[in-house]
């Protein structure tokens, strides 16, 4: 899917200006110095070299005639003394309805093997956040149809939510399910931005979204793992430019999914290191906070529409004190922490209900009933967590009858919060479920009231709404051990 050449279609995105020619004076991997005699290019200007096969972006001006650039394409074959051409404009990407159902790279080049029209608007990837006066202060819930998310850590329309977790705990699967639900139930536009993605993941996502019938209202951009850090660093800005068009010009709600925001920080760290900047804490770039803010603050809710962003955040070594995780936390209105332990127990989605949180979970935003149910669920799960050590040492029989009720209901809540996804039907042979917030709250209330204490735990595993329990109890064999035989 990657490309080492700038396509003709992308060249046409830059208006013809008087040619400002320079000469390559130094090449150090992805860092290239270029000297100009006539006029020095502005910061962020695009420069072409080696017959327009190598694309550079200006990151600093070293003197009145010399600029330092970061390569957005591989620099094989580039040598000192070669001519370089200043395009007089920053990196641009196409915007508009013609981009729907297509897959692009950072240059706005279609990488899905199909022809792409060139007579559509192109916009710079560098934009300022919307003015404060234009940001809407109305707070609304963004309903995902995923029980544990809507009940315990509701997402904000126009807000930013983070999916925190290590490798292999289900971040990408959760993102693809949210894309499916956004397109099928919210009638909005989804934009998927893959930063540092494997080419296999990009191809699989494209095929799965096409089979699910949601590709017509979706745009995909990829800065692949094998591409230079400059390309991976800019693909997030390119995706936001496309999202801003649908929000501001088309007045639509946009779901922007970024997988993985840590790779954006990592690419910035590589660029910083190549530029020779002094590293900060744990080797990260000193400008980490500024670079992340420049991206995150463009995601906002305006009177015209909202960009709701859900971002997967890889946590290095599952360490939540890592600077990348800490800086990302500060921008989020909701945090969904994925647990490796829950994933190993088969509790999918493997969201940890006690570590996950949302700033919307207050009575004046989500209502007294929703807030009360969420607090009761968290309380009973926290009590169960405290009792696990006692159960491991002394056994369930040594608990009081009240504590045994806590364990019984907590384990049934854990299984009720599992859910079959539409995007995993081919792996699980189970039909996906979209569960409304009202159905989720009703199910939690009935479990908390003890209505399902006599049902086996397996009857609540991988179901949709709570009324499926009766049917499930008749047809399912016990896929997870019952509380009477094992409590962990």
């Amino acid at each position: 899917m990657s490309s080492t050449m700038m396509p003709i279609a992308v060249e046409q995105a830059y208006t013809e200006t008087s040619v400002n020619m320079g000469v390559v004076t130094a090449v150090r991997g992805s860092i290239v110095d270029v000297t100009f005699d006539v006029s020095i290019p502005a910061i962020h200007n695009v420069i072409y070299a080696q017959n327009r096969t190598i694309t550079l972006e200006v990151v600093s001006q070293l003197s009145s005639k010399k600029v330092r650039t970061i390569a957005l394409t591989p620099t094989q074959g580039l040598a000192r003394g070669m001519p370089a051409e200043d395009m007089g404009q920053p990196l641009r990407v196409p915007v508009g309805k013609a981009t729907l159902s297509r897959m692009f790279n950072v240059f706005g080049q279609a990488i899905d093997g199909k022809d792409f029209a060139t007579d559509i608007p192109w916009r710079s990837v560098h934009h300022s956040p919307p003015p404060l006066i234009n940001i809407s202060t109305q707070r609304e819930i963004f309903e995902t149809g995923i029980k544990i998310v809507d009940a315990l850590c509701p997402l904000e329309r126009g807000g930013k939510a983070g999916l925190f977790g290590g490798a292999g705990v289900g971040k990408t699967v959760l993102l693809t399910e949210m894309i499916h639900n956004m397109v099928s139930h919210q009638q909005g536009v989804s934009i998927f931005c893959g930063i540092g993605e494997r080419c296999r993941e990009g191809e699989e996502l494209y095929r799965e979204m096409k089979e699910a019938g949601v590709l017509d209202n979706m745009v995909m951009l990829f800065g692949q793992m094998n591409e230079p850090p400059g390309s991976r660093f800019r693909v997030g800005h390119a995706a936001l430019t496309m999202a801003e068009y649908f929000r501001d010009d088309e007045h639509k709600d946009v779901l922007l999914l970024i997988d993985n925001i840590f790779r954006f920080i990592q690419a910035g760290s590589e660029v910083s290191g190549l530029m020779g900047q002094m590293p900060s804490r744990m080797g990260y770039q000193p400008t980490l906070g500024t670079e992340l803010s420049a991206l995150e603050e463009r995601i906002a809710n305006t009177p015209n529409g909202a960009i709701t962003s859900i971002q997967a955040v890889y946590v290095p070594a599952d360490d939540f004190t890592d600077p990348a995780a800490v800086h990302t936390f500060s921008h989020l209105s909701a945090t969904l922490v994925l647990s490796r332990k829950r994933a190993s127990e088969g509790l999918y989605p493997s969201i940890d209900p006690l570590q996950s949180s949302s700033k919307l979970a207050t009575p004046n935003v989500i209502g007294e009933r929703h807030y009360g149910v969420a607090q009761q669920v968290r309380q009973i799960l926290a009590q169960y967590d405290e009792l696990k050590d006692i159960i491991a040492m002394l056994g369930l029989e040594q608990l009081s009858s009240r504590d045994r009720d806590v364990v019984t209901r907590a384990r049934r809540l854990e299984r009720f919060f599992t859910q079959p996804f539409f995007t995993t039907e081919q792996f699980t042979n189970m039909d996906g479920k979209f569960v409304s917030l009202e159905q989720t709250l009703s199910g939690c209330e009935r479990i908390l009231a003890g209505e399902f204490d006599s049902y086996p735990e397996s009857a609540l595993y991988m179901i949709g709404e709570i009324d499926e329990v009766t049917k499930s109890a008749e047809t399912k064999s016990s896929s997870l051990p019952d509380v009477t035989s094992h409590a962990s």
Side-chain angles (χ1 to χ4, degrees):
M1 291 192 296
S2 60
S3 172
T4 57
M5 294 185 64
M6 284 291 288
I8 295 175
V10 176
E11 292 175 11
Q12 293 172 348
Y14 297 90
T15 57
E16 292 299 327
T17 57
S18 56
V19 178
N20 183 21
M21 298 300 295
V23 176
V24 175
T25 54
V27 182
R28 292 184 296 279
S30 293
I31 296 297
V32 180
D33 291 350
V34 186
T35 301
F36 291 84
D37 290 328
V38 180
S39 63
I40 190 166
I43 300 293
H44 297 321
N45 270 17
V46 167
I47 295 175
Y48 288 161
Q50 204 182 47
N51 297 321
R52 294 194 170 191
T53 60
I54 293 176
T55 308
L56 314 170
E57 183 184 74
V58 178
V59 288
S60 68
Q61 297 175 340
L62 301 179
S63 67
S64 59
K65 292 187 176 181
K66 183 185 284 189
V67 294
R68 181 155 288 171
T69 68
I70 184 79
L72 304 182
T73 52
T75 55
Q76 284 92 337
L78 190 63
R80 287 192 299 175
M82 284 187 172
E85 180 183 355
D86 171 26
M87 298 308 295
Q89 297 181 48
L91 186 67
R92 293 178 165 238
V93 290
V95 296
K97 293 181 179 178
T99 60
L100 292 172
S101 79
R102 305 303 302 272
M103 186 160 52
F104 299 94
N105 62 12
V106 69
F107 305 111
Q109 176 190 11
I111 53 175
D112 51 12
K114 302 174 185 175
D115 294 332
F116 185 63
T118 59
D119 56 343
I120 61 172
W122 290 66
R123 290 186 181 174
S124 166
V125 302
H126 301 282
H127 283 279
S128 299
L132 289 176
I133 195 71
N134 291 343
I135 294 179
S136 174
T137 57
Q138 186 177 0
R139 308 189 81 182
E140 302 174 37
I141 290 180
F142 177 82
E143 195 170 328
T144 64
I146 298 170
K147 290 181 286 191
I148 192 168
V149 175
D150 291 341
L152 300 184
C153 30
L155 307 187
E156 180 182 5
R157 178 179 174 269
K160 297 175 275 284
L163 281 177
F164 288 82
V169 292
K171 295 186 297 296
T172 303
V173 171
L174 201 53
L175 288 183
T176 54
E177 182 71 5
M178 288 179 179
I179 291 174
H180 179 278
N181 292 350
M182 171 68 174
V183 173
S184 356
H185 296 274
Q186 307 274 2
Q187 307 303 317
V189 174
S190 290
I191 296 181
F192 184 92
C193 176
I195 305 176
E197 284 286 279
R198 304 169 185 85
C199 60
R200 169 185 59 79
E201 291 177 339
E203 190 276 331
E204 284 177 358
L205 179 66
Y206 180 82
R207 182 161 33 83
E208 287 167 9
M209 293 300 102
K210 190 172 183 179
E211 290 172 359
V214 300
L215 197 61
D216 290 344
N217 288 296
M218 185 176 174
V219 186
M220 283 187 264
L221 289 95
F222 288 97
Q224 290 169 228
M225 194 175 275
N226 64 312
E227 293 181 11
S231 175
R232 285 180 272 126
F233 187 64
R234 283 288 173 239
V235 73
H237 299 92
L240 259 171
T241 301
M242 291 185 174
E244 286 167 339
Y245 170 86
F246 287 109
R247 178 191 67 190
D248 300 333
D249 294 46
E250 298 283 340
H251 297 179
K252 289 186 176 181
D253 282 357
V254 182
L255 178 63
L256 173 63
L257 299 112
I258 301 176
D259 187 9
N260 187 299
I261 199 69
F262 173 78
R263 304 295 178 199
F264 169 80
I265 294 171
Q266 195 176 45
S269 180
E270 289 182 48
V271 171
S272 176
L274 289 167
M275 292 290 293
Q277 293 178 338
M278 184 70 71
S280 183
R281 182 173 166 232
M282 292 182 69
Y284 286 101
Q285 64 270 40
T287 53
L288 189 158
T290 305
E291 291 169 357
L292 189 60
S293 298
L295 183 77
E296 298 280 8
E297 289 303 299
R298 290 170 64 181
I299 302 168
N301 184 3
T302 70
N304 294 327
I307 299 176
T308 302
S309 176
I310 301 170
Q311 305 165 10
V313 186
Y314 168 70
V315 182
D318 291 342
D319 177 15
F320 285 90
T321 64
D322 187 90
V326 171
H327 279 273
T328 306
F329 261 119
S330 63
H331 292 279
L332 305 175
S333 56
T335 55
L336 307 176
V337 179
L338 276 69
S339 160
R340 192 174 302 280
K341 185 174 183 298
R342 289 176 66 83
S344 68
E345 292 172 355
L347 300 175
Y348 290 105
S350 56
I351 295 171
D352 189 322
L354 299 178
Q355 290 195 58
S356 304
S357 63
S358 170
K359 293 178 181 176
L360 253 66
T362 57
N364 59 335
V365 177
I366 62 176
E368 292 287 350
R369 180 199 175 203
H370 186 172
Y371 178 75
V373 170
Q375 289 299 95
Q376 287 181 57
V377 169
R378 286 183 186 279
Q379 184 179 11
I380 202 167
L381 291 175
Q383 289 174 347
Y384 172 49
D385 200 49
E386 292 173 358
L387 291 169
K388 284 181 180 178
D389 290 339
I390 298 174
I391 296 169
M393 290 186 293
L394 303 177
L396 185 67
E397 296 75 17
Q398 301 302 315
L399 297 181
S400 66
S401 59
R402 181 183 174 279
D403 285 344
R404 279 201 294 270
D405 287 343
V406 166
V407 173
T408 299
R409 288 164 197 175
R411 287 177 64 84
R412 278 155 181 76
L413 279 169
E414 283 184 336
R415 279 141 187 80
F416 175 63
F417 282 138
T418 61
Q419 186 170 343
F421 283 172
F422 291 97
T423 51
T424 58
E425 288 178 354
Q426 58 182 329
F427 307 114
T428 62
N429 292 322
M430 301 171 75
D431 293 336
K433 307 284 185 183
F434 181 97
V435 185
S436 70
L437 178 58
E438 174 58 37
Q439 292 170 334
T440 300
L441 295 179
S442 174
C444 291
E445 287 172 336
R446 292 169 67 182
I447 293 171
L448 290 168
E451 188 176 329
F452 298 96
D453 287 1
S454 60
Y455 284 80
E457 292 171 3
S458 58
L460 287 89
Y461 181 68
M462 284 295 171
I463 62 170
E465 57 182 294
I466 197 69
D467 290 334
E468 296 178 26
V469 170
T470 309
K471 179 182 176 183
S472 175
E474 296 170 355
T475 57
K476 282 186 179 178
S477 60
S478 181
S479 58
L480 286 177
D482 195 82
V483 65
T484 55
S485 61
H486 179 67
S488 62

